[in-house]
Amino acid sequence: MISLFVRLKLALLRNGLRQSAGRTAAYVTSAVLALLAAAGQLAGLVLLRGDASAGTVVVLLTAVVALGWAVMPLFFPSGDETLDPTRLVMLPLPPGPLVRALLVSSLVGIGPLFTLCLAVGAALALARGAAGVVTAVVAVPLVLLVCVALARAVAAANIRLLTSRRGRDLAVLSGLLIAVGVQVVNFGAQRISRSGGLAALDPVAEVVRWLPPASAVGAVEAAGDGAYGEAAAGLLLTAVALAGLLYVWQRSLVKLMTAPDGSTQAAASSPSRRASAPPSGPSGRLWPEGRAGTVMQRSLRYVWRDPKTKAAWVTSLAVGLIVPLFNALQGTGSIYFACFAAALLGILMYNQFGQDTSAFWMVAMTISSTRDAYEELRARAGALLVITLPYVVLVTALTAAILGDWQALPDALGLSFAVLGAMLGTGAVASALFPYSIPQDSGYKNVAPGQAGLAWMSLGFGLLAAVVLSSPLVALTVALHLADATYWLWLLLPLGTLWGGLLAWAGLRLAAPRTAARLPEILTAVSKG
């Protein structure tokens, strides 16, 4: 069975590359880049040999790569079709031989080759003496097998989630993980540079070296130092982890092959239970009557249910919080960085009708006058403010708390409200003048083919106008600081609130007649995806 599954894996790779020239080019490009990265990593680890920080670097790097193996199946479940064990549920295969065959066939690919180069480089960097070499010979395959088994166990345990709508939502949100990871790496690098080098990571490495598969790498260093008991314990921990992962993987396969899934249990829930189930999403009792409440509920349900809208919101919320807080933690920030959160969420007001895609025709049927268009846009802006206003207050207060600059909280809030109002107003106008479609068939495309120019015009016009409209409050803040009249800065809170409200109202008033007059053009533009 092992040789059969290896041949199947090679056949899947070969046939997948034959589907299109673009797919072949993408695979070859990624393979070349991965091989170059693996070669550079191997060379770098070899150069670390003899360095005092080699053990720390190698242990932490192994742990990071293992973490990547654990989370990648969750965010990119469609990246490897062989990760889906439900394709095998109808075959009369015993679980034990099946797990062994899948484990060996999983070693075919770019990821395993990259991990193998890491393990070999780690062994070359740390192995000293005959005991270190012998330990390295055992540790290298253990590291590779644990990483592959970890990915397979996670995928098998969550495959039904990953192939559902919730799973597709999770895949779309993978950009959030990347954004957060970049900020964490940047923060860590700055802390290391300030603390005097890699020695600051030694306490972390001392803990991580007892976590598989990093414990196998730590065992190589321990064997070279003559700590044979510690080396044996590290290898044993990794071997036990491998056995545990294989057991969990096998149990998940047995459950997939014998337990019914949700598609076969649809009739099990009684009509009365379905009727009595509470509706998901925002409650209707919280919103005003009429069109305003209906539109606000619809907009917030898009945030909760639509993968693209949810991804945009969650990413904006996370990045808007990370940028000011991380800069404040690093000691290089300012409370005015909190305005970035208001601007980032304000961008969500842009291309309001494109978020509806082809379903916008149902909204267009309810707009017959400028007043209808104004109420539609006002309610959409209101739904955005339900989340944005408390969020901006929270981010600004947290930034002030970290910096200890509570005196600047009122004027920072005033500036944030002014920026938010400017973004809402210009976003409404841009939605009417430059609508474009958002493709629903891809989690990574936000503009339909041929409409990139419209998207750039929408953002460019809106952001430039928002900067100009917010500049009076910015100029007043700078003037008060230069004049050392900081006791008047509290006035920026009411002024910024009034100015932002005025800009939002003016933008909605300008956008309403243009939306009513351009409904056919808007409907055509947003339906192209």
Side-chain angles (χ1 to χ4, degrees), residues 157-170:
N158 298 277
I159 191 62
R160 284 179 176 162
L161 167 67
L162 298 177
T163 54
S164 64
R165 182 176 67 86
R166 295 293 183 192
R168 291 191 292 270
D169 293 355
L170 189 65

Side-chain angles (χ1 to χ4, degrees), residues 433-490:
L433 297 180
F434 309 109
Y436 57 90
S437 180
I438 301 176
Q440 299 298 306
D441 58 348
S442 172
Y444 307 101
K445 293 181 181 179
N446 293 316
V447 182
Q451 293 187 327
L454 281 173
W456 282 110
M457 289 174 65
S458 174
L459 287 176
F461 158 78
L463 293 178
L464 180 61
V467 169
V468 173
L469 294 173
S470 304
S471 58
L473 266 295
V474 176
L476 178 59
T477 304
V478 173
L480 289 175
H481 278 284
L482 291 177
D484 201 21
T486 54
Y487 46 85
W488 291 112
L489 285 174
W490 66 270

Side-chain angles (χ1 to χ4, degrees), residues 55-103:
T56 298
V57 173
V58 168
V59 166
L60 294 179
L61 184 59
T62 304
V64 169
V65 171
L67 180 63
W69 276 95
V71 301
M72 284 303 105
L74 297 177
F75 292 103
F76 301 99
S78 60
D80 185 357
E81 295 174 347
T82 63
L83 283 175
D84 187 358
T86 58
R87 299 172 183 265
L88 308 172
V89 295
M90 299 302 293
L91 300 177
L93 301 174
L98 179 60
V99 166
R100 291 192 293 271
L102 286 173
L103 179 63

Side-chain angles (χ1 to χ4, degrees), residues 82-357:
T82 63
L83 283 175
D84 187 358
T86 58
R87 299 172 183 265
L88 308 172
V89 295
M90 299 302 293
L91 300 177
L93 301 174
L98 179 60
V99 166
R100 291 192 293 271
L102 286 173
L103 179 63
V104 176
S105 63
S106 300
L107 299 177
V108 178
I110 301 174
L113 178 60
F114 181 88
T115 307
L116 178 62
C117 291
L118 165 69
V120 172
L124 293 176
L126 299 179
R128 294 189 304 274
V133 172
V134 172
T135 306
V137 170
V138 180
V140 168
L142 275 178
V143 170
L144 178 59
L145 291 175
V146 166
C147 288
V148 174
L150 179 60
R152 287 290 184 170
V154 170
N158 298 277
I159 191 62
R160 284 179 176 162
L161 167 67
L162 298 177
T163 54
S164 64
R165 182 176 67 86
R166 295 293 183 192
R168 291 191 292 270
D169 293 355
L170 189 65
V172 172
L173 295 177
S174 59
L176 173 62
L177 178 68
I178 297 173
V180 174
V182 169
Q183 291 294 332
V184 170
V185 170
N186 178 46
F187 178 66
Q190 293 196 17
R191 290 292 296 271
I192 291 172
S193 63
R194 287 200 301 268
S195 60
L198 295 172
L201 296 176
D202 287 344
V204 181
E206 288 299 324
V207 176
V208 173
R209 72 171 56 248
W210 291 105
L211 301 177
S215 58
V217 175
V220 177
E221 184 179 26
D225 294 337
Y228 302 123
E230 183 180 336
L235 291 177
L236 181 61
L237 279 174
T238 307
V240 170
L242 177 60
L245 289 171
L246 294 177
Y247 176 76
V248 172
W249 184 11
Q250 181 173 327
R251 289 292 300 271
S252 300
L253 289 178
V254 171
K255 184 177 179 181
L256 284 170
M257 292 180 173
T258 57
D261 61 8
S263 63
T264 62
Q265 296 177 328
S269 59
S270 62
S272 60
R273 181 179 298 179
R274 290 195 298 267
S276 62
S280 62
S283 173
R285 292 191 295 258
L286 300 176
W287 313 108
E289 298 291 336
R291 185 189 190 102
T294 302
V295 174
M296 291 178 72
Q297 290 184 68
R298 185 185 69 225
S299 299
L300 292 175
R301 281 199 174 98
Y302 279 165
V303 175
W304 182 253
R305 295 179 178 178
D306 180 62
K308 284 292 186 68
T309 307
K310 182 187 294 186
W313 269 96
V314 173
T315 302
S316 298
L317 290 170
V319 176
L321 181 67
I322 287 171
V323 170
L325 293 191
F326 271 53
N327 279 280
L329 288 170
Q330 293 168 3
T332 59
S334 166
I335 192 173
Y336 298 109
F337 277 24
C339 296
F340 178 77
L344 204 58
L345 289 182
I347 291 178
L348 298 174
M349 186 65 188
Y350 289 67
N351 195 34
Q352 277 292 309
F353 308 126
Q355 298 174 16
D356 298 346
T357 62

Side-chain angles (χ1 to χ4, degrees), residues 75 164 254 412 492 497 499 505:
F75 292 103
S164 64
V254 171
L492 287 171
T497 304
W499 184 246
W505 174 82

